[in-house]
Amino acid sequence: MRKNLILAAVALALTAAGGAVLWLMSAPGETPREITSMNTGRILYYQDPSGAPDYSPLPKKNAQGRDFVAVRAAGEPAQQAQRQIKYYRNPMGLADTSPTPKKDSMGMDYIPVYADETDEPGTVKISLDKVQRLGVRTAIAERRVLNERVQLSGTVTADERRQSVVSLKFKAWIAKLHVAATGEKVRAGQPLFDIHSPFILQQETTLALALGAKEISKELGDVYARTNARSESSAYQRLRLYEVPDAEIARLVRTHKPSGHITWVAPHSGTVLEKAAVEGLHAEEGTVLYRIADLSSIWVIAEAPELSLGIARRGASARITLNAYPGQTFEGKVTFVYPEVSMTTRTAKLRIELANHDGLLLPGMFASVDVSAPAGSPVLTVPDSALIDSGARQIVLIARGDGLFEPRAVKAGRRANGMVEVISGLKQGETVVTSATFLIDSESNLRAALQGFKQ
């Protein structure tokens, strides 16, 4: 009796000093009725008072009539201590539950499922303190204009509509070059080279004879006059057909002296990109002697992936940057999308036209192209981090408040600037989860699987 009084006095002293009650003893040698951690944790399960591996989700007695000991969680709010455990689920997500605490084959504790948790399939309820620990962030679904942009690479090329080649339609020898170097700028009508051609000499002689006999044929009568007129006309046509310059034909008409020597001129202004002509060259019909391009307008041919053709379409604005001119931007527009997608690269070519009056842009330069699609109508959007896209499904997690999260199937559309369009499945103003989505989604899938297993 004296020993019991001493033990009671010690317990009262510890309680008055604010110490935690480690156990309550009704008699010497009895086991504690409750194991606590600061007397605040919820009851996880009940354990055999002798320490044997025997557990129960509800209060019970052992074979000796002793009460099972309540095992509480440490450091959780007191209001959670009264939550009733329905069962324990497999920690790896397998369809395996247990009415009592247990471990899986790898030694991991089964996770308790409480009676006050939602029964909606896939819906997850998480305590507010756990929401904070997970770093859950949310955003509001809003309507906004998607400023779609795509980064492409391209190459500067000459405008195909402003190029021409200089060649002859007859055999000739190049007697002299007036433009002798590639890269020289030429003006329309500027002399390029002089040629000598026996064939042109023959055609000029025919015209000169017809011109000289014109007066005599008129005196001889209608037949001679008509014959000479036809000869003169055909000689004119042959010279024009062989593109003999008008200045040479005018000289022949004025002097009646054929020479077979012609000065060939540039068909338009531009830059000589290619020159095959050299003095003394025997040029055959169709030989390309010069290639001239007007570089006052230039093209940028960019390669656009197939998936970005909805952005890089005709009329889209383009900003061009070149390695040669850091910090300088050239503005243009997409004027044409070539009607073919490469089978190997899965890209399509698009054309951007730029003014090049200062001549800074040169064919062959590498270009970085930033294409912005024309602005459209506002659409419902969420941050792209809110979308869980597995290929087979697209979902977002709706935050319903008080730690309740609902997975919602949606249909996603375009993406731009970290935002994604939601075509269906979501309403404006709803709150979606933007971080820790995969953790909550995994919990949701597990909850749905367990719900089906219970049924």
Side-chain angles (χ1 to χ4, degrees):
M1 182 66 177
R2 182 179 181 182
K3 185 177 179 180
N4 290 342
L5 290 174
I6 293 173
L7 290 173
V10 171
L12 287 173
L14 290 174
T15 304
V21 177
L22 300 179
W23 61 79
L24 300 175
M25 304 186 66
S26 60
E30 287 189 4
T31 55
R33 293 181 177 274
E34 185 173 312
I35 299 174
T36 67
S37 176
M38 299 180 66
N39 294 326
T40 61
R42 68 180 183 274
I43 296 177
L44 299 178
Y45 53 88
Y46 296 85
Q47 182 180 358
D48 189 292
S50 65
D54 187 9
Y55 307 92
S56 172
L58 300 174
K60 64 179 291 186
K61 296 180 182 293
N62 65 1
Q64 290 76 32
R66 298 172 61 187
D67 291 330
F68 270 45
V69 178
V71 178
R72 297 182 181 272
E76 296 197 10
Q79 59 268 26
Q80 292 189 6
Q82 303 302 322
R83 299 179 68 190
Q84 181 181 359
I85 298 175
K86 295 176 62 178
Y87 57 88
Y88 296 83
R89 61 175 174 82
N90 188 287
M92 300 301 294
L94 300 178
D96 182 23
T97 62
S98 171
T100 59
K102 62 181 292 188
K103 297 181 181 291
D104 66 1
S105 58
M106 295 184 293
M108 299 176 63
D109 291 326
Y110 272 47
I111 300 172
V113 177
Y114 298 97
D116 59 353
E117 291 184 345
T118 177
D119 289 330
E120 297 180 31
T123 303
V124 181
K125 185 173 180 61
I126 302 176
S127 61
L128 297 180
D129 60 329
K130 189 175 181 181
V131 168
Q132 293 180 347
R133 291 198 302 270
L134 290 175
V136 176
R137 299 291 183 269
T138 60
I140 304 297
E142 298 176 337
R143 299 185 67 84
R144 57 168 56 87
V145 175
L146 283 179
N147 296 318
E148 298 177 281
R149 300 173 62 185
V150 61
Q151 293 285 340
L152 308 175
S153 60
T155 305
V156 178
T157 63
D159 188 336
E160 294 177 0
R161 299 167 299 190
R162 297 171 179 259
Q163 297 185 62
S164 65
V165 296
V166 177
S167 62
L168 302 177
K169 295 184 177 181
F170 50 86
K171 295 180 180 180
W173 280 263
I174 296 179
K176 180 181 179 181
L177 292 179
H178 298 284
V179 176
T182 302
E184 289 192 31
K185 295 183 181 297
V186 297
R187 304 180 310 277
Q190 177 180 337
L192 295 176
F193 55 90
D194 294 343
I195 62 168
H196 181 74
S197 172
F199 177 79
I200 293 299
L201 177 62
Q202 179 182 357
Q203 303 304 318
E204 288 184 337
T205 300
T206 301
L207 179 57
L209 291 174
L211 292 173
K214 192 173 185 177
E215 296 298 328
I216 298 175
S217 64
K218 288 182 179 180
E219 294 177 0
L220 293 176
D222 292 341
V223 175
Y224 293 100
R226 289 196 298 271
T227 302
N228 190 73
R230 284 196 296 269
S231 178
E232 178 184 348
S233 177
S234 62
Y236 268 121
Q237 294 300 325
R238 283 195 296 272
L239 291 176
R240 290 193 174 93
L241 180 64
Y242 291 114
E243 295 183 349
V244 174
D246 292 339
E248 174 63 16
I249 297 177
R251 183 200 64 79
L252 182 61
V253 172
R254 186 176 64 255
T255 63
H256 295 183
K257 294 181 180 180
S259 67
H261 188 86
I262 302 174
T263 298
W264 216 262
V265 298
H268 61 82
S269 299
T271 302
V272 177
L273 300 183
E274 183 181 328
K275 183 194 76 69
V278 293
E279 290 187 4
L281 175 70
H282 178 222
E284 297 287 341
E285 300 96 326
T287 301
V288 176
L289 302 176
Y290 290 84
R291 186 164 68 92
I292 301 173
D294 181 2
L295 301 181
S296 62
S297 176
I298 209 77
W299 286 358
V300 175
I301 304 298
E303 297 278 346
E306 184 177 0
L307 292 176
S308 66
L309 291 180
I311 301 174
R313 58 184 184 268
R314 186 171 182 176
S317 300
R319 295 167 60 87
I320 314 297
T321 56
L322 304 169
N323 293 335
Y325 310 110
Q328 189 169 355
T329 302
F330 301 86
E331 303 286 342
K333 285 188 176 295
V334 177
T335 58
F336 186 74
V337 178
Y338 289 81
E340 183 180 11
V341 174
S342 170
M343 295 295 292
T344 55
T345 63
R346 305 310 303 167
T347 59
K349 293 183 178 180
L350 53 91
R351 185 171 72 214
I352 302 162
E353 297 186 25
L354 302 173
N356 188 36
H357 300 299
D358 50 8
L360 295 178
L361 303 178
L362 304 177
M365 281 183 166
F366 177 81
S368 296
V369 185
D370 185 353
V371 178
S372 301
S377 302
V379 294
L380 185 63
T381 62
V382 296
D384 54 9
S385 60
L387 181 69
I388 303 175
D389 191 346
S390 65
R393 65 169 189 166
Q394 295 174 323
I395 71 166
V396 295
L397 294 171
I398 307 298
R400 292 166 52 178
D402 296 329
L404 192 62
F405 300 94
E406 171 198 349
R408 181 87 59 79
V410 297
K411 183 178 180 181
R414 299 170 295 162
R415 301 172 187 248
N417 301 327
M419 306 300 292
V420 59
E421 176 188 7
V422 179
I423 299 175
S424 62
L426 192 65
K427 296 179 180 179
Q428 183 176 354
E430 290 189 293
T431 303
V432 297
V433 178
T434 60
S435 65
T437 52
F438 285 100
L439 295 174
I440 301 175
D441 184 47
S442 299
E443 181 77 12
S444 171
N445 292 336
L446 181 59
R447 186 66 50 79
L450 290 173
Q451 194 80 11
F453 177 74
K454 288 189 298 178
Q455 294 173 356

